[in-house]
Amino acid sequence: EPEVTQTPSHQVTQMGQEVILRCVPISNHLYFYWYRQILGQKVEFLVSFYNNEISEKSEIFDDQFSVERPDGSNFTLKIRSTKLEDSAMYFCASRGTGVSEKLFFGSGTQLSVL
Amino acid sequence: AQSVTQLGSHVSVSEGALVLLRCNYSSSVPPYLFWYVQYPNQGLQLLLKYTSAATLVKGINGFEAEFKKSETSFHLTKPSAHMSDAAEYFCAVSDQGHGQNFVFGPGTRLSVLP
C-alpha cells in the first residue's frame, strides 16, 4: 500500500526556535493535512491544504504556524517560534480526490520543545 | 459542526472475549465515519469506513462496525479479542464537503488480558 512519509521521526528543539516538519504525501493525492496529538490526548486537526492554499484551519493553527508545498512532492509545517506547549506528535495525512476517500497518515514526528 | 464522542477512555477485555468500542457522532450533514487504530509509537491506520453504502461495515483484522442513524452511533466490534488488538482506537467523522477535515474522537485504549 502507498505510504505517507514524515521526517524526522523525532525533533528536539529549544523554546523560541523555528522548526520545519517535513512530509511526502502519496504521489497522486491532492488534499493534505496536518494533525497533532499531545501525549495522552486526542488527535487534533490543524490545517488542510488543497490547490496550493489552505482550505481550512483550526484555532490551534495561529500565526506561529505555516504550511507550504515547496515542490511537487513535499508538504511542510513550520512553527516559527516554538513554545513548550507545542510538544506533541505531529501527523501528516493525505487523500485522493474522492469525497469518501480515507486519509492516509504518516507515522508522525515527535516534537519535543525544551 | 461535527463532533465525536467515545464512551470509555479505557476498555479491558480478556483474550477471546467480545470487543465493543462505542462511538457516537454529531453531524448536520450525512457523515462519513471512520475507525482508526494507533499501535504504540506508530501512526494511525484505517480499520474501516462508512460512506453511505452498507450500514454494516467490515474492516481489517476481524473488526466491523454498524452505522445506526437513529442512534447516531458507529460502534466497533470484534467477536474475539486477540492480544495484538491492544492499541488506541479513534472514531472519526468527516463531512462530504470539498475541503473536508476529519474530526477525531478522544480515543479508547483497548487492553487485552491473557
Side-chain angles (χ1 to χ4, degrees):
Chain A
E1 190 172 68
E3 288 186 346
V4 175
T5 56
Q6 289 185 244
T7 55
S9 58
H10 195 182
Q11 173 95 41
V12 181
T13 189
Q14 296 289 325
M15 190 170 58
Q17 295 296 303
E18 174 183 286
V19 294
I20 297 176
L21 309 183
R22 302 181 190 280
C23 170
V24 179
I26 293 169
S27 61
N28 62 344
H29 283 182
L30 298 179
Y31 295 87
F32 313 114
Y33 303 79
W34 282 101
Y35 286 81
R36 80 172 185 190
Q37 185 182 31
I38 295 171
L39 184 64
Q41 299 186 25
K42 65 189 288 185
V43 176
E44 300 174 295
F45 168 75
L46 291 178
V47 65
S48 58
F49 191 87
Y50 171 75
N51 198 26
N52 288 318
E53 61 182 22
I54 291 173
S55 50
E56 194 166 350
K57 61 182 180 179
S58 72
E59 293 177 353
I60 302 168
F61 195 87
D62 62 20
D63 292 343
Q64 294 296 315
F65 291 88
S66 62
V67 289
E68 192 177 32
R69 187 154 165 82
D71 52 43
S73 61
N74 291 283
F75 180 52
T76 62
L77 174 69
K78 181 192 291 186
I79 308 175
R80 255 179 280 282
S81 177
T82 51
K83 303 186 286 287
L84 294 177
E85 54 265 37
D86 293 328
S87 296
M89 179 73 88
Y90 288 80
F91 292 106
C92 174
S94 69
R95 70 174 180 89
T97 54
V99 291
S100 65
E101 290 199 33
K102 70 178 185 181
L103 286 180
F104 286 80
F105 281 87
S107 55
T109 294
Q110 179 66 55
L111 177 64
S112 300
V113 182
L114 307 178
Chain B
Q2 299 160 294
S3 65
V4 177
T5 56
Q6 291 181 241
L7 185 63
S9 60
H10 190 189
V11 171
S12 291
V13 300
S14 298
E15 191 173 19
L18 171 72
V19 175
L20 171 61
L21 304 182
R22 299 178 187 274
C23 171
N24 289 88
Y25 70 91
S26 171
S27 178
S28 57
V29 298
Y32 293 134
L33 295 157
F34 304 78
W35 274 100
Y36 281 84
V37 60
Q38 184 180 33
Y39 297 104
N41 302 313
Q42 294 187 30
L44 294 155
Q45 301 173 34
L46 182 72
L47 274 180
L48 49 80
K49 66 177 182 178
Y50 165 76
T51 56
S52 72
T55 56
L56 182 62
V57 182
K58 294 186 185 299
I60 61 172
N61 301 338
F63 284 93
E64 62 182 39
E66 186 172 9
F67 172 69
K68 292 186 177 180
K69 184 178 179 181
S70 60
E71 299 177 8
T72 60
S73 69
F74 190 57
H75 302 328
L76 182 71
T77 60
K78 181 174 181 178
S80 177
H82 192 273
M83 298 295 288
S84 60
D85 295 326
E88 189 92 16
Y89 291 80
F90 294 92
C91 183
V93 62
S94 75
D95 63 31
Q96 300 179 31
H98 175 70
Q100 60 177 163
N101 74 69
F102 285 53
V103 175
F104 284 83
T108 297
R109 178 165 298 279
L110 176 66
S111 297
V112 182
L113 308 174

